[in-house]
Amino acid sequence: MINWIKKIIFGSQNEKELKKLEPILQKVNSEDARISTLSDEVLRAKTDEFRKHIREKEKALSKELSGLKQQIDEATTQVSKDRVKQRLKKLYNSLFDEILPEAFAVVRETAKRTVNMRHFDSQIIGGVVLHEGRIAEMTTGEGKTLVATLPVYLNALLGKGVHVITVNDYLSRRDCEWMGPIYAFLGLSVGVIQHDMPPEERKRAYGADITYGTNNEFGFDYLRDNMVVSKEDMVQREPFFAIVDEVDSILIDEARTPLIISGPAEESTEKYYQIDKIIPRLKKGVRDEKTKEETGDYIIDEKGRTSYLTEAGELKAAEILGIKDMHTLSSMEYKHHVNQALRAHNNFKADVDYITKDDQVIIVDEFTGRLMPGRRWSDGLHQAIEAKEGVKIERENQTLATITFQNYFRMYEKLAGMTGTAVTEAEEFFKIYGLDVISVPTNKPLARTNYPDVVYRTEKEKFDAIVDEIVSLHKEGRPVLVGTISIDKSEHIGEMLKVKGVRHNVLNAKYHEFEAHIIAQTGSKGAVTIATNMAGRGTDILLGGNPESKTDDMIAKIEAGGKAVSEQERNEILEKFKQEAQQEHDEVVALGGLHIIGSERHEARRIDNQLRGRSGRQGDPGSSRFYISLEDDLMRIFASDRVARLIDFFQLEEGMPIAEHKLVARSIETAQRRVESHNFGIRKHVLEYDNVMNKQREVIYAERKTILESEALKEHIFNMTDDASDSALDIYAPKNLHPEEWDYNNLLSRFKGKFLINLSGDEIKSLSREELRSYISEKIQSAYNAKEISITPEKMQRIAKFALLQTIDGKWKEHLLGIDHLREGIHLRGYGQRDPLVEYQREAYEMFMAMIDSIREDSLEYIFRIQAVETEDTVGVFRPMSQKLMHPEAGSMRDMQKNSPSSKQMPVDMNQMPQPPHVPDTGPPKP
Ligand code: ADP
Ligand code: MG
């Protein structure tokens, strides 16, 4: 009922918003006739004309703009910050109001002339939505890559840099090359970031008007920029406008865990092997849910995706390891590692959750099925799996820098996104990112038939039915795309097809490099493709196959044989493939187009919709159907009681499906909604924790930046010395004590120790507190000046910069380690009446304030005492050599179990969490 109402409201709201955009579309269309007659030169010259216009407007509004920016900087709560940001966004957008229609028409005309595509009306609408800083929901195949060129061009005119974010390197390269001619024609520069690029190239790419790259690269570059010790080493500019492609994947799925740059914490890795060896000697037990009694040495908790020692197991493990017990401060660590080793053996499967390649354990992304080299599971789990697989163990890491995607992307002045599936997550987009979703109607009416799900009792029956359907469609010549949720399921179906003699492609993380090319031919006649969900997102599926892609493959083959291919030869090959494809296209259309088989429901409805959306592009015919068994994870874990009743009710015969039953459809949707909202809970939770860190990170990074960019730090240092002497005076000469009671001795030695200044008791004893304060300040400043004269101001500046950065980074690193531990510890405490988040906020704040003090004290001591800095010393605290970029494990639906010990790093159980009381938003003051 509620959903139905929501749908109607959303529907009409969406219509209303679309109506508002209609006049803009009309204006763009009315410009067309004139713009299309312009010569190339005149068309090109439009860029300068537009630039001039908006820069003038920007100048006129500069006061207002900078006023709002200042308000954002000074905002003390996220809510007020978000509110001002919305106003700033509107104001920025108003700069473009007058030129938008003409500029869009110019891009449209340019696209026609350069890449041979003219934006459809639906694409113009999408472009306006993006420009306004919203999410455009546009189905797969609607041409979102081209849509983006409109707002990208328009906003790039301001010269502050526009970022286009894609889900992988291949797509950023492809889109940049593909759309590049449009920008080049109009005189804008474009850059692309790739994973293996050195800093200088990155810097160049970020300096361009438009920069393509992945979310991970942008996020990590931001973090790295805040770890360098020289301004020249920073690669990014201030974040201005980002358009995120496949926005749900990036801002929702990927946002479940933060980005982390970590480095080694000095520790041995021997213990992982040692502990791994004892696992086979432990006995598996069970837990009685009613009496809570446990047998054996350990319990496997499948739902929680974890395993843990029983009390008996603890004793046994301690005995084998030769330690007394497992609950002292020093031995607790063993328990943690044994539990992780148990998880490694029982909850994580090779070739499903990870693969082992080149002496490395590589995570398989559960959403995309892609390999995630460089990512590591946290908390010693990765090492435990490395020990289990007998590969080299990387040293344990500590966090050096971290940020969530939520907080990274919220830094942009304007954010926009596009994807085929956003509406199911509209609430989250709005609450977290302030983005609203506009669903843009397709260019041509959708002609895909979505058949209702069929449900089998067992997985085996289900797979048999799937294979039967593939075989019969394949006989007709109709292309089939089968979506699975894991590599092993893909391979299982593949094996079954092999037995039946059906040629097919299995597309999963193992064949990463070919993904795009295979997916491109998925619509060929008789093609059978099995893919993990979303593999190859972003690749267009043309019915009858993709001649461009075939041509590229062919040329690559010829060139690999040592022959060069001329432009003319290429065109001939392409022409041949095009003709073939045209004929094949018609045949496939006659057969009904691409058929999608979902071999299981995913935990999010959105991902299922993505799979469906691969068929029926641009009005193509097509169909889809999901196959489900009562043994599927989703059904088993979340619909188990209902399902049990269904089994009884239907008394099924082997091989007979419960077809198209409303009850089933409803329990599936309910289960999916539960997992979706649980996952939203996790993301909110990660964010709540990161928000604490975010304020601290902002303070530290801002401080670093000031220091990095400062040509003269003296003023800055004198502010610090004043603070330092105030804090010393508060201790030794507190305001509430009479001067006779002041501790002159310690006061003198404190200043001598720190600043090498000699104050004599006789001089200061007659001074009032205010006089004393300025007397000390003067002494310190003249000590500094004297040192400056003796070693030259340049050298002094260098020493000061070095000392400040070195101290900040060192302390910050230590602080982050402390925070890591705090977060773990807080979770263990969370079982009392206290809300762990509030505790965490309070303690993290105290730790931070203590760190700020010690940064000031230590760096000043450094500055006043150090004599010289050798250049080789100034490499900084974060040596790039040993850094690791991580985007750690995201929980799955199996993590929904309560109290799962696996959730140690980030407590995930939202049901368990008491509602946080209102916490006053007291951001720490600037140091
Ligand atoms: P999406 O990202 O929305 O799934 P793509 O950007 O990959 O879609 O584009 C899908 C296909 O549509 C591409 O082959 C592209 O060449 C084609 N296309 C997009 N816009 C147009 C257009 N205006 N005219 C002709 N073809 C277009
Ligand atoms: Mg795309």
Side-chain angles (χ1 to χ4, degrees):
M1 183 71 176
I2 302 278
N3 289 324
W4 176 75
I5 293 175
K6 246 194 199 159
K7 212 166 175 177
I8 297 216
I9 292 177
F10 182 81
S12 66
Q13 183 67 24
N14 200 56
E15 304 271 288
K16 248 197 245 158
E17 294 291 334
L18 285 171
K19 274 235 166 65
K20 281 193 218 157
L21 304 177
E22 194 74 17
I24 306 181
L25 171 65
Q26 273 162 17
K27 272 194 216 153
V28 176
N29 283 342
S30 68
E31 294 280 358
D32 267 4
R34 186 174 58 86
I35 298 290
S36 62
T37 60
L38 302 180
S39 70
D40 283 3
E41 280 64 44
V42 178
L43 191 60
R44 195 170 282 138
K46 284 286 171 192
T47 298
D48 277 339
E49 197 182 298
F50 294 145
R51 263 194 192 131
K52 207 163 143 255
H53 176 90
I54 52 170
R55 293 212 172 142
E56 267 162 24
K57 274 197 88 170
E58 191 191 15
K59 220 182 263 160
L61 288 175
S62 69
K63 248 212 189 109
E64 257 178 278
L65 285 168
S66 57
L68 286 178
K69 277 187 208 162
Q70 197 176 340
Q71 278 187 42
I72 290 175
D73 283 343
E74 288 165 2
T76 49
T77 66
Q78 191 64 43
V79 178
S80 57
K81 198 175 195 167
D82 287 345
R83 210 172 298 137
V84 190
K85 276 188 82 172
Q86 291 289 351
R87 278 170 56 202
L88 181 65
K89 186 159 97 178
K90 284 230 170 75
L91 192 61
Y92 258 120
N93 285 346
S94 74
L95 296 179
F96 302 96
D97 282 349
E98 287 122 38
I99 58 161
L100 185 145
E102 195 185 355
F104 275 25
V106 164
V107 178
R108 191 186 225 178
E109 181 60 27
T110 306
K112 200 172 83 191
R113 293 186 198 181
T114 53
V115 296
N116 199 22
M117 290 187 275
R118 180 180 176 275
H119 295 75
F120 306 128
D121 283 1
S122 59
Q123 291 176 312
I124 300 284
I125 295 279
V128 179
V129 172
L130 294 177
H131 169 68
E132 288 179 348
R134 314 163 101 175
I135 289 176
E137 187 187 67
M138 300 180 78
T139 310
T140 306
E142 284 296 299
K144 292 185 283 293
T145 323
L146 187 66
V147 172
T149 56
L150 301 161
V152 164
Y153 170 74
L154 188 61
N155 288 271
L157 293 169
L158 259 183
K160 293 174 194 286
V162 173
H163 293 173
V164 185
I165 320 281
T166 66
V167 289
N168 61 43
D169 269 5
Y170 162 75
L171 288 173
S172 9
R173 206 169 51 235
R174 183 201 72 175
D175 291 358
C176 174
E177 279 166 16
W178 192 12
M179 298 296 123
I182 302 176
Y183 306 127
F185 182 97
L186 292 169
L188 294 183
S189 55
V190 196
V192 60
I193 305 286
Q194 297 280 290
H195 181 68
D196 46 11
M197 256 185 189
E200 318 83 68
E201 280 180 50
R202 283 174 191 262
K203 192 168 181 168
R204 217 173 306 130
Y206 282 119
D209 292 313
I210 301 151
T211 313
Y212 284 81
T214 66
N215 46 324
N216 279 14
E217 294 307 316
F218 280 90
F220 283 130
D221 278 336
Y222 168 73
L223 293 176
R224 276 187 295 232
D225 268 1
N226 285 291
M227 299 164 85
V228 299
V229 289
S230 144
K231 193 175 72 177
E232 289 68 43
D233 293 339
M234 296 179 85
V235 296
Q236 288 185 338
R237 295 191 273 167
E238 291 291 315
F240 172 59
F241 177 35
I243 297 178
V244 183
D245 192 11
E246 308 288 3
V247 66
D248 59 319
S249 170
I250 291 173
L251 297 191
I252 305 266
D253 297 333
E254 302 272 314
R256 282 208 280 173
T257 54
L259 289 178
I260 298 173
I261 297 184
S262 72
E266 323 304 317
E267 239 192 289
S268 105
T269 54
E270 197 41 51
K271 64 171 181 278
Y272 294 105
Y273 295 115
Q274 187 198 351
I275 285 169
D276 187 70
K277 280 204 205 87
I278 77 164
I279 301 300
R281 296 173 62 183
L282 301 175
K283 221 173 70 217
K284 185 174 137 187
V286 287
R287 175 184 163 90
D288 184 319
E289 285 306 328
K290 281 214 187 74
T291 64
K292 313 266 184 245
E293 264 167 36
E294 297 174 339
T295 61
D297 295 327
Y298 65 89
I299 308 291
I300 301 175
D301 171 359
E302 205 190 324
K303 284 189 195 173
R305 206 182 194 185
T306 187
S307 299
Y308 58 90
L309 285 171
T310 60
E311 269 179 45
E314 244 184 84
L315 292 175
K316 187 161 162 192
E319 195 190 311
I320 307 177
L321 288 167
I323 53 175
K324 232 173 80 206
D325 54 47
M326 287 192 168
H327 12 256
T328 62
L329 212 53
S330 56
S331 61
M332 249 168 60
E333 191 198 21
Y334 277 96
K335 183 170 160 184
H336 171 67
H337 287 303
V338 174
N339 282 338
Q340 291 292 43
L342 287 169
R343 281 180 86 193
H345 280 263
N346 297 304
N347 302 93
F348 287 79
K349 294 199 195 84
D351 289 337
V352 178
D353 302 301
Y354 64 89
I355 64 158
T356 309
K357 201 173 109 188
D358 304 334
D359 211 27
Q360 277 184 332
V361 169
I362 302 173
I363 298 178
V364 176
D365 186 288
E366 62 156 322
F367 275 94
T368 61
R370 278 196 295 262
L371 294 184
M372 294 289 157
R375 274 201 206 174
R376 293 176 63 79
W377 280 302
S378 53
D379 252 356
L381 176 61
H382 213 92
Q383 290 90 331
I385 293 176
E386 285 166 338
K388 166 187 160 192
E389 296 294 337
V391 303
K392 198 176 103 252
I393 293 177
E394 303 290 329
R395 273 204 300 172
E396 199 152 35
N397 290 310
Q398 82 151 94
T399 306
L400 300 179
T402 173
I403 192 167
T404 55
F405 283 125
Q406 288 92 329
N407 276 323
Y408 174 72
F409 282 107
R410 289 202 300 211
M411 288 192 301
Y412 282 90
E413 269 169 38
K414 186 159 93 178
L415 186 61
M418 48 192 191
T419 175
T421 46
V423 168
T424 48
E425 256 74 21
E427 181 193 353
E428 181 163 348
F429 282 124
F430 191 73
K431 282 196 176 147
I432 305 285
Y433 301 96
L435 288 168
D436 60 345
V437 177
I438 304 292
S439 194
V440 180
T442 50
N443 178 43
K444 289 186 184 158
L446 182 71
R448 182 183 63 236
T449 315
N450 297 324
Y451 294 107
D453 299 358
V454 280
V455 183
Y456 289 85
R457 199 176 40 181
T458 63
E459 204 171 33
K460 182 182 172 299
E461 292 164 75
K462 178 183 80 175
F463 280 128
D464 286 343
I466 290 174
V467 168
D468 284 348
E469 174 153 20
I470 298 173
V471 170
S472 83
L473 290 173
H474 181 64
K475 263 196 203 125
E476 292 172 30
R478 215 179 140 186
V480 186
L481 173 64
V482 186
T484 71
I485 68 167
S486 69
I487 297 178
D488 65 334
K489 299 226 161 111
S490 290
E491 288 185 341
H492 180 62
I493 296 175
E495 288 302 321
M496 291 175 74
L497 288 176
K498 221 187 251 165
V499 174
K500 301 260 180 188
V502 176
R503 262 191 61 181
H504 60 274
N505 278 306
V506 177
L507 212 124
N508 59 35
K510 281 186 184 165
Y511 306 99
H512 190 169
E513 289 119 42
F514 308 112
E515 259 178 28
H517 287 262
I518 296 177
I519 263 285
Q521 308 306 342
T522 300
S524 306
K525 195 173 169 203
V528 175
T529 313
I530 305 163
T532 42
N533 274 314
M534 286 170 51
R537 245 206 208 197
T539 303
D540 195 23
I541 301 180
L542 298 174
L543 298 185
N546 186 326
E548 295 271 354
S549 178
K550 269 187 195 162
T551 308
D552 290 344
D553 289 348
M554 170 77 97
I555 289 172
K557 244 185 237 160
I558 299 173
E559 287 180 338
K563 260 176 68 188
V565 181
S566 73
E567 191 60 31
Q568 197 199 334
E569 282 167 313
R570 184 185 193 277
N571 287 338
E572 279 164 17
I573 298 173
L574 179 63
E575 205 40 53
K576 192 183 111 239
F577 278 132
K578 267 192 180 157
Q579 277 170 15
E580 278 177 25
Q582 185 54 48
Q583 195 189 343
E584 212 178 308
H585 173 265
D586 297 346
E587 287 174 46
V588 172
V589 167
L591 288 166
L594 177 66
H595 181 61
I596 303 284
I597 294 179
S599 66
E600 193 164 332
R601 284 283 193 162
H602 195 272
E603 59 184 56
R605 288 169 293 166
R606 187 168 39 86
I607 307 289
D608 290 341
N609 292 339
Q610 273 287 340
L611 179 61
R612 280 210 164 110
R614 304 222 128 227
S615 152
R617 77 179 272 287
Q618 293 284 341
D620 280 346
S623 54
S624 73
R625 189 195 289 282
F626 278 80
Y627 283 76
I628 289 162
S629 92
L630 301 182
E631 291 175 345
D632 294 352
D633 279 350
L634 185 76
M635 301 296 282
R636 233 167 19 91
I637 303 179
F638 299 105
S640 49
D641 26 340
R642 269 168 191 268
V643 165
R645 264 183 276 136
L646 286 175
I647 294 180
D648 285 347
F649 183 77
F650 287 105
Q651 305 213 323
L652 294 174
E653 275 176 45
E654 173 97 12
M656 285 297 293
I658 317 168
E660 308 175 12
H661 200 286
K662 268 203 198 108
L663 258 180
V664 176
R666 205 179 310 144
S667 56
I668 291 169
E669 181 160 341
T670 311
Q672 285 180 315
R673 279 177 189 280
R674 265 182 71 193
V675 191
E676 283 166 15
S677 81
H678 170 76
N679 284 339
F680 183 20
I682 294 178
R683 290 184 291 267
K684 263 203 289 214
H685 193 68
V686 170
L687 186 59
E688 277 165 351
Y689 275 72
D690 187 53
N691 281 344
V692 178
M693 279 309 293
N694 199 45
K695 280 183 206 139
Q696 306 188 348
R697 180 172 50 228
E698 275 173 9
V699 172
I700 291 295
Y701 285 2
E703 176 74 0
R704 273 191 116 260
K705 199 154 174 242
T706 315
I707 293 164
L708 266 183
E709 288 173 354
S710 162
E711 302 293 338
L713 282 164
K714 200 155 137 178
E715 185 90 358
H716 190 81
I717 287 165
F718 287 168
N719 283 334
M720 288 171 72
T721 55
D722 283 349
D723 285 348
S725 49
D726 280 345
S727 107
L729 286 170
D730 284 345
I731 299 171
Y732 304 113
K735 282 192 184 120
N736 57 356
L737 283 190
H738 196 266
E740 275 161 22
E741 293 172 90
W742 288 349
D743 182 354
Y744 285 104
N745 278 343
N746 276 318
L747 190 68
L748 296 184
S749 66
R750 166 87 161 227
F751 284 108
K752 177 147 178 47
K754 199 160 275 304
F755 302 109
L756 299 178
I757 55 169
N758 288 309
L759 305 172
S760 87
D762 302 339
E763 278 173 78
I764 63 173
K765 275 198 179 139
S766 57
L767 300 177
S768 72
R769 197 170 187 279
E770 253 329 286
E771 288 165 341
L772 182 58
R773 191 174 178 275
S774 46
Y775 178 77
I776 290 172
S777 162
E778 210 173 279
K779 280 276 183 189
I780 294 176
Q781 296 190 6
S782 56
Y784 186 92
N785 290 334
K787 186 167 180 182
E788 197 178 55
I789 290 168
S790 84
I791 67 170
T792 76
E794 294 74 42
K795 231 177 186 169
M796 195 63 200
Q797 162 78 9
R798 219 176 84 202
I799 287 180
K801 190 173 266 192
F802 168 74
L804 285 167
L805 287 176
Q806 196 76 0
T807 319
I808 290 175
D809 290 348
K811 300 275 176 191
W812 178 240
K813 182 179 161 188
E814 236 172 79
H815 179 69
L816 289 172
L817 185 62
I819 290 283
D820 279 353
H821 287 307
L822 175 68
R823 204 167 38 215
E824 285 186 17
I826 284 286
H827 172 64
L828 295 175
R829 287 185 241 167
Y831 299 108
Q833 289 307 308
R834 292 165 306 191
D835 177 352
L837 179 61
V838 175
E839 292 276 297
Y840 172 75
Q841 283 170 326
R842 192 176 51 76
E843 285 185 38
Y845 177 74
E846 280 168 15
M847 281 165 65
F848 183 74
M849 291 316 287
M851 174 191 69
I852 295 292
D853 283 348
S854 83
I855 285 178
R856 185 189 60 220
E857 298 299 322
D858 286 16
S859 55
L860 287 178
E861 194 165 324
Y862 227 152
I863 292 167
F864 280 82
R865 304 191 67 136
I866 205 170
Q867 293 306 324
V869 179
E870 300 307 325
T871 323
E872 56 267 31
D873 286 343
T874 56
V875 286
V877 170
F878 305 112
R879 275 157 245 261
M881 294 291 292
S882 53
Q883 285 171 19
K884 212 163 214 131
L885 309 182
M886 306 197 302
H887 186 203
E889 166 194 18
S892 70
M893 66 176 145
R894 285 173 283 185
D895 274 348
M896 281 180 70
Q897 172 75 349
K898 292 186 176 167
N899 300 346
S900 97
S902 71
S903 53
K904 195 166 139 229
Q905 192 178 8
M906 294 152 198
V908 290
D909 185 7
M910 297 309 289
N911 303 324
Q912 276 275 310
M913 296 279 302
Q915 277 301 310
H918 177 72
V919 182
D921 202 322
T922 47
K926 300 216 170 214

